[in-house]
Amino acid sequence: MHEMSIVEALIEQVDHELHRAGQERHVVEIHLAVGRLSGVHSGSLRFAFELLSPGSVVEGAQLNITEPRAACRCRDCNHTEPIDEMVAQCPKCGSGNVLIEGGRELTLDSIELEPYET
Ligand SMILES: [Zn+2]
């Protein structure tokens, strides 16, 4: 499963960020952006996370996934439309001269740590 290696890399990245920041607090939440055209299934990602997080730095953390949409921009009629799936033609004029923007990202947006004990 492709998502397993993504989550492995993600956990490594979180670990790296925590070390770099010198943090030893627990991670309570991780925010991920998974573009709708990235080919990554967020359900499988959650499943992989459940399997891989125990014993790691993200054990017990919530996985928060947003799925940014892509946009199709037509170079002929200048029409721009948000899309959820790859398109080859402009939805308005049918031209094949289109640019697909965004929607392919797979990024770790933020890491939330537990509050400092007071
Ligand atoms: Zn068009």
Side-chain angles (χ1 to χ4, degrees):
M1 191 168 71
H2 180 52
E3 280 78 5
M4 290 293 260
S5 50
I6 294 174
V7 171
E8 275 174 13
L10 171 74
I11 291 174
E12 260 177 45
Q13 191 184 349
V14 172
D15 190 47
H16 180 78
E17 296 286 336
L18 292 181
H19 270 105
R20 205 179 54 175
Q23 290 293 349
E24 303 213 330
R25 289 179 288 155
H26 284 120
V27 179
V28 289
E29 198 165 333
I30 297 168
H31 292 260
L32 268 190
V34 179
R36 296 193 194 195
L37 301 183
S38 64
V40 177
H41 188 247
S42 54
S44 308
L45 217 51
R46 288 184 191 282
F47 180 72
F49 187 82
E50 305 252 306
L51 284 180
L52 296 171
S53 58
S56 78
V57 285
V58 295
E59 180 166 7
Q62 289 284 327
L63 185 61
N64 194 312
I65 300 176
T66 55
E67 300 178 326
R69 301 179 80 179
C72 166
R73 187 157 65 84
C74 177
R75 282 187 274 212
D76 284 337
C77 74
N78 230 1
H79 177 69
T80 301
E81 188 168 313
I83 51 168
D84 291 330
E85 285 173 9
M86 199 55 108
V87 295
Q89 290 181 327
C90 171
K92 196 175 175 193
C93 76
S95 162
N97 194 9
V98 290
L99 266 179
I100 306 298
E101 297 172 332
R104 295 189 187 87
E105 57 270 74
L106 183 63
T107 51
L108 174 61
D109 277 350
S110 64
I111 304 169
E112 276 177 43
L113 300 176
E114 64 180 351
Y116 281 112
E117 279 172 31
T118 49

